[in-house]
Amino acid sequence: GQNIDQPTEMTATEGAIVQINCTYQTSGFNGLFWYQQHAGEAPTFLSYNVLDGLEEKGRFSSFLSRSKGYSYLLLKELQMKDSASYLCAVMDSNYQLIWGAGTKLIIKP
Amino acid sequence: DAMVIQNPRYQVTQFGKPVTLSCSQTLNHNVMYWYQQKSSQAPKLLFHYYDKDFNNEADTPDNFQSRRPNTSFCFLDIRSPGLGDAAMYLCATSRDGLEGSGANVLTFGAGSRLTVL
């Protein structure tokens, strides 16, 4: 079967750095996406990785290792507004998106 | 601003009473999706349209139907809602569903939250 694993919940302090991990087992690979979802709202796109390495976008970076089936989302200089769920999704060989259940990130002052 | 708009944002219905949720997009995207998302769970794909080509997920119950009368609009019909159908229903679009590239980035609507009494 296909599955995406990410921690259920993480807690971090305002101003700090946090890394949210995602491991995947899918039938083929056509890219990995990270989405942010605030409570009761729709997911919004954060990043897309299809090649190994680190993609940096302001305070957010995303890393991919295809050989290890592993990605992480790195959030720097955490702000209270970063409190949200972070969803990892992988596009398989049939171009179907396989979603993780999301990691709820709690930011404390 | 180009966007995806869902109506209604909140829908309360009685057990067994049909419901229709609507989605419109101004992005001119080829692909439209309907997802069901329950609290703290991953979005679950119900069906998607690639242009007019309808694709039903194998485990989507027959109770759920969809229509896409034109490029801009898509509807989700729940024929006889049960208590287990209470969820957030998310409509999303993407420019192209057949390339492993940024063309597959999904743009979501704000969602329709369904409550079944």
Side-chain angles (χ1 to χ4, degrees):
Chain A
Q2 306 197 92
N3 67 284
I4 309 282
D5 288 315
Q6 33 180 151
T8 304
E9 187 174 295
M10 298 181 71
T11 302
T13 304
E14 190 176 15
I17 299 173
V18 72
Q19 177 175 311
I20 302 174
N21 295 326
C22 170
T23 57
Y24 62 88
Q25 292 170 314
T26 56
S27 302
F29 179 83
N30 275 306
L32 184 144
F33 298 80
W34 283 97
Y35 284 83
Q36 179 191 60
Q37 187 176 26
H38 286 99
E41 298 182 14
T44 55
F45 170 74
L46 287 178
S47 68
Y48 170 75
N49 293 70
V50 67
L51 298 175
D52 289 351
L54 188 68
E55 295 275 345
E56 296 187 71
K57 250 192 208 180
R59 294 190 299 116
F60 292 9
S61 304
S62 56
F63 172 82
L64 174 68
S65 169
R66 288 173 296 172
S67 62
K68 294 181 180 177
Y70 167 70
S71 173
Y72 66 72
L73 181 69
L74 191 72
L75 291 75
K76 302 177 187 175
E77 301 168 20
L78 285 170
Q79 301 174 10
M80 297 304 292
K81 67 177 183 179
D82 297 329
S83 293
S85 286
Y86 292 85
L87 298 163
C88 174
V90 173
M91 185 157 283
D92 70 10
S93 57
N94 293 319
Y95 299 101
Q96 300 297 308
L97 264 184
I98 312 301
W99 291 85
T103 298
K104 183 177 180 181
L105 179 62
I106 299 167
I107 310 294
K108 294 187 173 178
Chain B
D1 283 344
M3 57 179 60
V4 180
I5 300 169
Q6 291 189 241
N7 283 299
R9 291 291 311 279
Y10 301 92
Q11 176 74 59
V12 180
T13 190
Q14 292 179 335
F15 184 94
K17 187 172 180 184
V19 158
T20 295
L21 307 176
S22 75
C23 177
S24 64
Q25 56 127 341
T26 59
L27 297 160
N28 204 31
H29 281 175
N30 288 329
V31 194
M32 294 187 79
Y33 308 80
W34 278 107
Y35 282 92
Q36 178 194 65
Q37 189 180 28
K38 298 186 178 179
S39 182
S40 301
Q41 294 185 21
K44 178 182 182 301
L45 182 64
L46 296 174
F47 12 63
H48 73 279
Y49 285 87
Y50 187 89
D51 206 4
K52 292 184 178 179
D53 184 22
F54 175 71
N55 297 274
N56 194 32
E57 294 303 298
D59 58 353
T60 298
D62 292 340
N63 195 26
F64 292 86
Q65 303 285 318
S66 182
R67 298 168 278 139
R68 188 179 184 185
N70 54 53
T71 303
S72 301
F73 285 88
C74 197
F75 298 94
L76 171 62
D77 301 307
I78 309 175
R79 294 194 296 187
S80 182
L83 297 178
D85 297 327
M88 175 79 92
Y89 290 88
L90 296 165
C91 174
T93 70
S94 68
R95 184 159 49 87
D96 191 306
L98 295 179
E99 296 177 18
S101 71
N104 282 307
V105 171
L106 298 184
T107 301
F108 284 88
S112 293
R113 181 166 293 284
L114 177 67
T115 301
V116 182
L117 301 177

